[in-house]
Amino acid sequence: MSCVEWNESYDLGISQLDEHHRHLVGLLKSTSDCCLDDNREGTLETVLDELLNYAIYHFSAEEQLMLDNGYPELREHTQKHDLFTRQVAKFQQDLFDGKGLLAMEMMIFLRRWLIDHILDVDRKLCTYLAAKGESCNSPAEIITRRAGPAMEEGKCLIGRQPILDRKEELVAYELLFRSAGAESAAVEDASYATASVIVNALTGFGIEDILGKHKGFINMELELLMDDSLNILPREQVVIELLETLRVTPELVERCRFLKENGFTLALDDHEYSPAYHELYGIVDIVKVDLMQTPLHKLEEMVKPFSRYPLQLLAEKVETQEEFRRCLELGFDLFQGYYFAKPAVMEKKRLDDSGSTLLKLMRLLSEDAELAEIEKTFRGNAGLTYKLLLLVNSVGIGTRSKIETVRHAIAILGRQQIKRWVQLALFATDDHRGMENPLVDMAAVRASLMESLAGCHRVLKGRHDSAEKAFMTGILSILEKVYDIPMDEVVRNLNLSEDVRGALTSRQGGLGRLLHVAELLEQLEFRHLGSHLEEMGVSLEDVLESQKRAFTWRKGMA
């Protein structure tokens, strides 16, 4: 498999341009083959000829499309095309002059073009044309499925409504499922909704960011309530709400007793007193009473039997001051509703995990695979690595020691906790894309390159964990660009070792200088490369060999 294959994430929905881009990906594969085979100069010359032809027919078609539709960024877009053409012409001249590094430079340049231009600059053109709809003057087919509401699919959404005590002080939040483009829940699958809330809270936002020091109420349907994956939740901070649709059975009562004995707080949601729940009343901690279902004039009679049990009453859907005061008089302890605050939707760009990668992780964990195999799966995916580190902190065990490497994070968390998270993530994911995404590809190659160069670095090569730290630094460094996660947020949320932290935020230390070199290579800034390599004691041959190794390693990841 080539280091980059065509996949639907590259589709613009404009058939003519998409066909051109498919050809470019094919040329990138050919360049990759040349990069890994030093004896294919003739093939490289052919690739360069095709690249110039590509620039002529593709850019002409794209610029005509922009001109016909009055695209406001035509001039800036055309300038980027000119830069591409000049760079290809330079490559041809370098090949004629017999200069080295050619195939590797071309490989990096084309990968960067694929990521920065097609997935960013060309995507803006696609969005503009899709917005025009029927008024588009081009005969090219505009498919609008990627515009409008679909843009929301890349976001991590969760609703959060405050829960207050009798002094009207915040003590908890109810965490609510929210779907893209909707202010309220659009729940078709209760398991999916519950799993989405849990996964988003743990590894989308992080428990600390979404709850702080307060508790979080989460609705729980039967399937996940009975599943072992529930134990991944930080029990001191989570309140499990048993949905009103759950039927009281001996199995349910036994499960609730087990969860209570293991430190979880339990609540009955949207509840009215019934003798059928007698056993559960002796187990649960909180009963939520819906004021829409039980009006004020019936409230006292309904809640009186609860006084026999050691539990708290929570009034939900409190919408007026009168309702609040009446609930205070009747001894309610907790309050939730529009009178205090409407649910707020929290939003963050989602780090999608492909279903195939999660299934692979599940298989490895189920087969009790070697730690190296599990680590390899995480190392090939920047989003999964970040979520792993965020998960270590979210479940409350990440503050004991600084995280040194990916393997260290896996060891701290443990196989069972990772397995529980993967189970929940499989419930929540609706992503069908594979790992052949150029953004994932870019992160994996950068990390692998840094790992390899760490073994050549004058200082780092003498430290046993430098290679693994370099890899993790490379993976995390790409998050800001790829996933719109500011680097200060990455560092703030993750309990990283000081050398990794310094490398990410200010390019400090040996790891920081390695990261800077990797960035210079990606940007084709070879003029400034020599002095940095000399300082680190790394030769140009070391760089070439490390780049080859990085591209080869990435090819074997999918």
Side-chain angles (χ1 to χ4, degrees):
M1 182 178 290
S2 70
C3 62
V4 174
E5 299 282 351
W6 180 267
N7 70 77
E8 66 172 16
S9 69
Y10 306 150
D11 281 331
L12 298 179
I14 305 173
S15 58
Q16 183 184 23
L17 302 188
D18 284 339
E19 186 60 37
H20 293 176
H21 291 157
R22 284 189 185 91
H23 183 59
L24 179 63
V25 170
L27 294 176
L28 179 54
K29 178 189 182 304
S30 298
T31 307
S32 173
D33 293 340
C34 294
C35 189
L36 299 174
D37 184 348
D38 295 330
N39 300 313
R40 299 183 63 172
E41 290 86 353
T43 304
L44 192 58
E45 184 176 356
T46 302
V47 171
L48 282 167
D49 289 340
E50 289 196 46
L51 277 174
L52 271 186
N53 289 331
Y54 165 84
I56 293 171
Y57 68 75
H58 171 65
F59 293 160
S60 296
E62 195 169 82
E63 289 167 14
Q64 187 62 50
L65 184 64
M66 291 187 285
L67 186 63
D68 290 345
N69 287 277
Y71 186 51
E73 296 185 31
L74 170 63
R75 184 165 177 265
E76 294 84 351
H77 201 119
T78 302
Q79 287 175 343
K80 294 181 186 298
H81 289 172
D82 292 342
L83 287 173
F84 179 94
T85 305
R86 287 200 295 272
Q87 183 61 57
V88 174
K90 180 180 180 300
F91 285 145
Q92 281 194 316
Q93 185 62 48
D94 288 347
L95 181 63
F96 180 79
D97 293 341
K99 293 185 177 180
L101 270 179
L102 191 63
M104 194 65 66
E105 288 184 59
M106 283 178 57
M107 181 71 185
I108 298 170
F109 171 72
L110 291 178
R111 286 157 53 85
R112 174 65 64 181
W113 179 266
L114 186 69
I115 293 169
D116 287 351
H117 193 79
I118 295 178
L119 294 182
D120 183 14
V121 178
D122 282 353
R123 182 73 70 206
K124 291 178 182 178
L125 171 61
C126 171
T127 303
Y128 171 81
L129 294 173
K132 293 194 66 171
E134 293 298 325
S135 65
C136 179
N137 296 321
S138 171
E141 179 184 5
I142 307 297
I143 302 176
T144 60
R145 66 179 183 273
R146 294 185 173 272
M151 294 296 185
E152 298 292 322
E153 293 177 0
K155 294 178 181 177
C156 177
L157 301 171
I158 196 167
R160 191 179 71 166
Q161 187 172 30
I163 295 174
L164 292 81
D165 63 11
R166 293 178 64 86
K167 297 178 182 179
E168 297 187 58
E169 294 180 352
L170 179 68
V171 292
Y173 292 100
E174 180 170 4
L175 302 182
L176 306 163
F177 173 76
R178 287 295 181 264
S179 55
E183 292 186 5
S184 59
V187 179
E188 298 178 0
D189 184 326
S191 294
Y192 171 78
T194 301
S196 293
V197 169
I198 295 172
V199 172
N200 286 345
L202 289 176
T203 56
F205 295 90
I207 286 291
E208 185 173 354
D209 274 3
I210 204 166
L211 292 178
K213 302 302 181 183
H214 306 300
K215 287 185 177 292
F217 285 59
I218 300 177
N219 290 325
M220 197 69 59
E221 50 71 53
L222 186 62
E223 187 174 8
L224 283 178
L225 182 70
M226 306 299 288
D227 197 278
D228 179 65
S229 61
L230 198 63
N231 288 300
I232 196 173
L233 293 170
R235 56 200 66 192
E236 72 283 353
Q237 243 185 317
V238 169
V239 179
I240 296 174
E241 288 192 42
L242 308 180
L243 291 176
E244 67 277 11
T245 55
L246 294 181
R247 189 169 60 90
V248 180
T249 65
E251 293 77 17
L252 177 66
V253 172
E254 185 59 31
R255 178 61 171 165
C256 289
R257 184 174 287 113
F258 173 82
L259 292 171
K260 179 68 177 292
E261 290 173 352
N262 281 271
F264 282 102
T265 302
L266 304 178
L268 292 173
D269 189 31
D270 291 347
H271 192 71
E272 293 184 2
Y273 177 81
S274 169
Y277 285 82
H278 171 70
E279 283 191 89
L280 283 178
Y281 293 149
I283 299 173
V284 301
D285 305 273
I286 300 167
V287 170
K288 298 183 71 174
V289 178
D290 187 337
L291 298 191
M292 293 290 187
Q293 295 178 5
T294 308
L296 286 184
H297 67 279
K298 295 184 179 180
L299 192 58
E300 182 175 7
E301 180 183 353
M302 197 277 287
V303 301
K304 188 179 297 184
F306 289 124
S307 62
R308 303 197 301 267
Y309 301 97
L311 48 76
Q312 291 183 305
L313 293 178
L314 187 157
E316 61 178 337
K317 298 184 181 174
V318 179
E319 297 195 348
T320 67
Q321 187 178 52
E322 179 190 4
E323 290 175 339
F324 174 51
R325 287 178 175 174
R326 182 56 178 151
C327 289
L328 280 173
E329 292 171 359
L330 293 175
F332 277 77
D333 305 282
L334 302 169
F335 307 88
Q336 174 183 0
Y338 284 10
Y339 173 65
F340 307 103
K342 293 183 178 181
V345 177
M346 300 182 70
E347 178 182 302
K348 192 173 186 178
K349 187 168 183 179
R350 188 174 65 208
L351 283 67
D352 283 321
D353 314 307
S354 77
S356 61
T357 305
L358 291 170
L359 286 170
K360 180 179 179 182
L361 262 178
M362 178 58 69
R363 177 178 59 78
L364 291 173
L365 291 163
S366 300
E367 295 173 354
D368 200 24
E370 294 293 329
L371 179 61
E373 280 296 302
I374 298 171
E375 180 188 13
K376 180 181 177 183
T377 304
F378 277 102
R379 284 157 62 101
N381 188 306
L384 274 181
T385 298
Y386 178 68
K387 287 185 177 183
L388 171 70
L389 302 179
L390 196 58
L391 182 61
V392 172
N393 289 326
S394 287
V395 299
I397 59 177
T399 57
R400 299 173 188 169
S401 59
K402 298 292 185 182
I403 300 172
E404 305 284 342
T405 65
V406 174
R407 178 169 294 206
H408 185 204
I410 294 172
I412 290 175
L413 192 60
R415 291 171 182 257
Q416 188 61 24
Q417 289 290 65
I418 295 174
K419 187 175 182 179
R420 288 164 176 163
W421 171 70
V422 172
Q423 288 171 335
L424 289 169
L426 283 170
F427 269 110
T429 187
D430 57 358
D431 178 36
H432 304 291
R433 291 171 296 175
M435 289 179 63
E436 287 307 317
N437 183 306
L439 303 176
V440 173
D441 184 63
M442 176 182 176
V445 170
R446 177 187 287 189
S448 181
L449 172 70
M450 290 180 60
E451 179 184 42
S452 182
L453 287 177
C456 310
H457 193 286
R458 178 180 290 116
V459 176
L460 294 179
K461 66 182 179 181
R463 301 172 185 171
H464 76 280
D465 59 353
S466 289
E468 290 190 6
K469 283 188 175 183
F471 187 97
M472 190 166 74
T473 302
I475 281 285
L476 296 179
S477 69
I478 212 73
L479 291 173
E480 187 167 31
K481 178 174 179 59
V482 175
Y483 296 113
D484 294 339
I485 301 176
M487 191 51 62
D488 61 346
E489 181 179 335
V490 172
V491 171
R492 185 177 71 249
N493 288 341
L494 305 180
N495 198 20
L496 302 172
S497 61
E498 292 303 321
D499 49 353
V500 175
R501 181 188 297 262
L504 291 171
T505 56
S506 53
R507 305 301 184 264
Q508 291 178 1
L511 294 175
R513 283 186 283 278
L514 268 188
L515 177 55
H516 184 54
V517 163
E519 291 168 331
L520 289 175
L521 284 168
E522 291 168 1
Q523 296 160 12
L524 301 180
E525 292 289 344
F526 296 106
R527 291 173 300 170
H528 308 294
L529 193 60
S531 59
H532 292 286
L533 294 179
E534 184 178 352
E535 178 187 351
M536 296 188 299
V538 176
S539 68
L540 190 59
E541 289 73 21
D542 291 333
V543 174
L544 284 171
E545 185 59 33
S546 295
Q547 285 186 316
K548 287 184 179 181
R549 191 176 298 127
F551 290 134
T552 304
W553 176 82
R554 176 58 184 138
K555 286 175 71 174
M557 281 303 300

